[in-house]
Amino acid sequence: MLLAAGTWLAARLWPVPQAHQDALQLLRAAPPVEGRSGAAAVWTLGFDGMDAAAREQVLAEDLTRWQQGAPGRRPQASVAEERFPRPAITAAFGCGQRGIGCLAAVRADPAAFAAAHVGHEALHMRVAELSQFDHYALPFRAYDTDLMTPLPSMQPLLDTLSANALAHVQGDTPRALQGTCADILTGRRLVGRGDNLLFSMIGAALLEGQAHLLADLLAELPADAALPPVCTAALQPMTVPEQSLCTAMRGEFAMGQAALRTSEQGSELQPLVFNLARTEARFAPHYAWACDAAAMQALADDRPLREPAPQPAGFDCVANALGCRLAAIGAMTMRPYADRAQDSAAMLRLVAAQRWLRQQADPPAQALPRLPASMRSSARTPVLSPDGRWLQIPRRATARPDEGITAMLQVPMPATAP
């Protein structure tokens, strides 16, 4: 018994690895939140009939209800559900996966898409206006009794894709370009400036889908067609902070901490097998890798990000057996999310390259070696498909052929401008 007690005590006093301490420091070193908050705008995005002040008031009421709600039964729904109309969304997912084939789908049945978007004008304006904010951190915080914090419905964000395509099909190409590029800017903001992975991944989906649509629109326009100023901003190369999931990972780690706290609420013997501080330290590397210098350099170089390998149980687990098991169970891979963000940035470079190549006097194959550095990376340089119909680069995220998502990111390269 003395030997067992001594072993347990030694394990409890075992130094926390420096890598774990560094990871915790990265996650806690969040920069101060500055600029305009889009929290109220994204929280109430799906509701009509509110001005900016009303949206802020609704968010404040919902936050108070969350904070003062009964433990375990805090309300997830917004008070807006009872006060304001919500436009019916029926076409958000009927326009091709990630924008692939969206224009063709709308052209095949414009009447159906037009009917689906009746009364959606205000919603589409709100989606475009989301690009004007600097961050989107929601104020809800998890409790030990309520781990899942309220999240808004993000489906309305994807409604604009087919609406922009419809504008072009109906002959209003300037409005289609304006809407598509404005929505690309909204996607760019959400990828790197939300405090959870849902916002980042919806932002990536919005960005990639609208970029695919923009490429299809440009392919049908003269090579020297003038674009609205918003498109110039939309096609600028994404910066490292715009691609980074660091802010989102900090938010995910905070939710994970709330879940871990529930594990402290066990029997009197619980402290023998669980230590919250040490478990948080073991969890930290699964999130902090998105914030370290190596990740930032990989984003700058467009190289795949490398997350840490699963941690084997160490001597410290003798005094933290439950904590080590929880850390192992929760060590899900986050790499696919980073791949999606990088592919979004690559898609924008590809669209910019498509436009540049069509504006050159010589054929694309001859002009391609002169492609500006801002439209390629050392890891992924655009190439023409064997038949010359597509400009493409490898997709980093997992391909899904059954959903029309191929292993290549592609934009059309018509042989001649219309």
Side-chain angles (χ1 to χ4, degrees), residues 106-162:
V106 173
R107 183 168 279 139
D109 194 356
F113 281 94
H117 286 299
V118 170
H120 288 194
E121 292 81 4
L123 168 62
H124 299 160
M125 289 179 61
R126 293 195 296 273
V127 173
E129 289 170 354
L130 282 179
S131 65
Q132 301 174 10
F133 298 99
D134 297 296
H135 59 86
Y136 307 88
L138 294 176
F140 305 100
R141 294 295 173 260
Y143 289 90
D144 298 356
T145 54
D146 299 83
L147 302 179
M148 299 301 297
T149 58
L151 288 170
S153 170
M154 304 301 284
Q155 185 181 7
L157 271 170
L158 305 181
D159 187 63
T160 61
L161 182 60
S162 55

Side-chain angles (χ1 to χ4, degrees), residues 51-138:
D51 59 16
R55 296 185 185 285
E56 295 288 349
Q57 178 61 35
V58 165
L59 177 59
E61 286 188 50
D62 290 336
L63 177 60
T64 299
R65 292 169 68 237
W66 173 255
Q67 294 172 334
Q68 298 179 357
R73 298 194 302 276
R74 300 176 196 274
Q76 295 271 344
S78 172
V79 295
E81 296 281 1
E82 303 171 356
R83 303 177 188 173
F84 299 95
R86 183 193 289 271
I89 307 296
T90 59
F93 299 103
C95 194
Q97 286 287 336
R98 303 183 193 174
I100 301 172
C102 178
L103 187 57
V106 173
R107 183 168 279 139
D109 194 356
F113 281 94
H117 286 299
V118 170
H120 288 194
E121 292 81 4
L123 168 62
H124 299 160
M125 289 179 61
R126 293 195 296 273
V127 173
E129 289 170 354
L130 282 179
S131 65
Q132 301 174 10
F133 298 99
D134 297 296
H135 59 86
Y136 307 88
L138 294 176

